Amino acid sequence: MFIDKVKITVKAGNGGNGAVAFHREKYVAAGGPDGGDGGKGGNIVLRVNDNLSTLMDFRYKRKYAAAPGQDGQGARCSGKRGEDLVIQVPRGTVVRDAATNEIIKDMSDDADFILCKGGRGGWGNKHFATPTRQVPRFAKAGLPGEEHEVVLELKLLADVGLVGFPNVGKSTLLSVTSNARPKIANYHFTTLYPNLGVIYVDEGVSFVMADIPGIIEGAAEGAGLGHDFLRHIDRCRLLVHIVDVSGSEDRDPIEDFEKINAELRDYSPELAERPMIVAANKCDLIPEGSDNLERLRAYVTERGYPFYEISAATTQGTKQLMRVIAGRLRELPPVTVYEPEYVKPLAEAGEADALSIEHMDDLWIVSGKWMQQLIADINFADYESRMYFDRQLRKSGLFDRLEEMGIEDGDTVSIYDFEFEYER
């Protein structure tokens, strides 16, 4: 079964918790705290696999979670990092945010992509020892991993797309010009999913051609199969419009030509402007006295499209057409790779009353769900990021609440793996 669009939920691993432990060894008095840090949670990683051609693997499994980091241990032993979860997808898969439909990543290259980052591990109590706090009996919890609901959409990476009404000979043309073996029969919608074939024109000259299931009138609104598979010609550099001029379907070739072009315009105005070659197929079956071929030729050439006569069943004109396509492709830009549109929104502060605040000597420990999300988005090595964090803390009313609880200048405020001295 050909599956080309799925929605999945992915979650990176949570960071491991820091450990509360103390060094105990013979002849070593007052060994002090030596609790290790928690390990980082595993990432969700997307990787291109050229052996996959559909998103079938995602049909029954829709939720993916990476391994969490292990908790820290005594003797300053840090927890083991959580193993990354690698999700393999076909080349050409576009990853979109499910809520906004914005593009996160186009998986068209060979580089791995980290879709969700694992949570940072929490600090062990060894980090909280000071001259005045020599026996800290607390540690930090790990941060949660990122979670995202995304849509995977497969857009085939083909140089040339064959478009046209059902049963006009697209699959036959692909079968006689490549090693592809699509299903061929004398009825509509024989092709139920896109087929790809590599066309070898000459030594060092080849291209990929896609046979798209037949488009019918109303396809852009969901009629027939066209709505499901029009996306697969989005990347095509060149369209080859196959028109049946034999009249075997009792249709007018000019009307067929215009109806398909109208569907392309309705689906995507940009796609309708894509370079196109028109191939009049089934020329060997034209009945005597029919003027279909001449009328179509005059109509098409008047509008500036290259026009070729072929018979896919007898291979008449097919080699010439493939050479023309190869020459045209040399003049066109490479296959489209979509640029990312999605920008992850920064977490914002909630209410200070929703936070948990613990007071231990001169240390104030702040924690809470929205604080976890906020601190996971902050890069403390970057000045602007730290300033954003400070503005969010003031916006939440945290400092006002700390002052009401009696915090003094010089006291330390600890927020997960970030600490600072409080100043009014």
Side-chain angles (χ1 to χ4, degrees):
M1 182 178 293
F2 186 81
I3 305 294
D4 61 354
K5 190 173 183 178
V6 294
K7 181 189 289 187
I8 63 173
T9 300
V10 290
K11 186 183 186 309
N14 296 333
N17 299 323
V20 176
F22 297 92
H23 184 73
R24 291 180 174 85
E25 185 179 350
K26 193 175 183 181
Y27 306 121
V28 178
D34 66 351
D37 301 337
K40 182 181 180 297
N43 301 321
I44 298 288
V45 179
L46 298 182
R47 179 174 297 165
V48 169
N49 184 343
D50 287 322
N51 293 320
L52 298 177
S53 57
T54 79
L55 300 174
M56 182 68 180
D57 292 345
F58 302 94
R59 186 181 182 195
Y60 300 107
K61 184 177 180 180
R62 300 294 179 94
K63 295 184 178 180
Y64 295 82
Q70 291 185 357
D71 295 342
Q73 300 177 17
R76 303 194 174 219
C77 293
S78 297
K80 183 181 178 181
R81 174 196 175 105
E83 188 174 351
D84 292 346
L85 176 62
V86 178
I87 301 176
Q88 298 187 346
V89 297
R91 189 178 297 275
T93 301
V94 177
V95 186
R96 296 180 181 271
D97 175 60
T100 64
N101 206 40
E102 294 176 330
I103 295 175
I104 299 174
K105 173 67 175 176
D106 183 353
M107 299 298 295
S108 297
D109 53 22
D110 294 317
D112 290 351
F113 175 69
I114 298 177
L115 180 58
C116 292
K117 294 181 179 179
R120 300 198 293 265
W123 279 354
N125 68 337
K126 66 180 181 180
H127 288 280
F128 302 103
T130 67
T132 58
R133 191 194 316 122
Q134 298 181 3
V135 190
R137 299 184 180 278
F138 56 88
K140 292 295 183 67
L143 293 176
E146 293 179 349
E147 186 172 1
H148 212 146
E149 188 175 39
V150 297
V151 173
L152 303 181
E153 185 179 49
L154 178 60
K155 291 178 181 283
L156 295 179
L157 288 172
D159 299 291
V160 180
L162 300 178
V163 298
F165 268 86
N167 208 31
V168 296
K170 301 186 297 296
S171 297
T172 304
L173 179 61
L174 184 67
S175 69
V176 300
T177 55
S178 73
N179 289 327
R181 291 294 174 262
K183 182 179 179 181
I184 300 172
N186 188 26
Y187 56 83
H188 289 191
F189 298 115
T190 312
T191 302
L192 297 176
Y193 53 86
N195 293 295
L196 289 178
V198 180
I199 315 298
Y200 294 97
V201 179
D202 208 341
E203 185 175 352
V205 180
S206 64
F207 58 88
V208 179
M209 189 161 69
D211 165 25
I212 306 301
I215 302 171
I216 64 173
E217 196 170 2
E221 283 74 43
L225 297 175
H227 182 261
D228 291 329
F229 297 117
L230 277 169
R231 69 172 66 95
H232 294 295
I233 54 177
D234 277 348
R235 297 183 191 267
C236 294
R237 299 190 283 159
L238 178 67
L239 301 182
V240 177
H241 193 152
I242 309 295
V243 183
D244 179 2
V245 293
S246 70
S248 60
E249 299 281 335
D250 294 324
R251 294 194 309 261
D252 182 76
I254 294 178
E255 289 183 6
D256 282 5
F257 177 74
E258 281 303 326
K259 285 178 180 178
I260 295 299
N261 286 345
E263 293 305 321
L264 295 178
R265 282 193 298 270
D266 290 343
Y267 176 74
S268 168
E270 181 186 355
L271 185 62
E273 298 299 323
R274 202 70 51 87
M276 179 184 291
I277 292 175
V278 180
N281 192 27
K282 302 186 182 181
C283 289
D284 58 320
L285 299 179
I286 298 177
E288 291 186 15
S290 172
D291 62 348
N292 283 349
L293 181 60
E294 288 72 22
R295 288 191 302 111
L296 181 63
R297 186 201 310 276
Y299 187 84
V300 167
T301 54
E302 182 183 346
R303 283 152 181 78
Y305 295 108
F307 183 82
Y308 295 89
E309 302 175 25
I310 65 168
S311 171
T314 64
T315 71
Q316 172 191 339
T318 56
K319 288 186 178 180
Q320 180 193 4
L321 178 61
M322 296 303 110
R323 290 186 179 279
V324 169
I325 291 173
R328 187 75 178 90
L329 289 174
R330 283 196 289 268
E331 306 168 359
L332 297 176
V335 174
T336 302
V337 175
Y338 297 98
E339 293 297 325
E341 305 167 340
Y342 177 77
V343 177
K344 180 185 174 183
L346 287 174
E348 295 189 357
E351 297 294 330
D353 292 340
L355 298 174
S356 170
I357 301 178
E358 298 179 71
H359 183 202
M360 300 180 180
D361 300 323
D362 61 344
L363 180 69
W364 299 77
I365 301 175
V366 180
S367 59
K369 186 173 182 180
W370 67 255
M371 185 65 78
Q372 286 180 338
Q373 298 169 345
L374 177 62
I375 203 167
D377 282 350
I378 301 301
N379 175 14
F380 290 104
D382 177 68
Y383 175 78
E384 292 294 333
S385 192
R386 293 199 306 272
M387 291 301 99
Y388 174 79
F389 183 59
D390 181 73
R391 289 194 301 271
Q392 292 299 311
L393 294 186
R394 296 185 185 282
K395 174 184 172 182
S396 71
L398 172 62
F399 294 149
D400 294 336
R401 186 178 171 195
L402 288 171
E403 290 176 3
E404 292 174 1
M405 296 178 67
I407 192 170
E408 298 178 355
D409 287 349
D411 284 358
T412 301
V413 178
S414 176
I415 304 175
Y416 294 97
D417 52 359
F418 177 67
E419 290 187 349
F420 61 93
E421 287 191 0
Y422 179 77
E423 293 182 5
R424 296 182 186 272

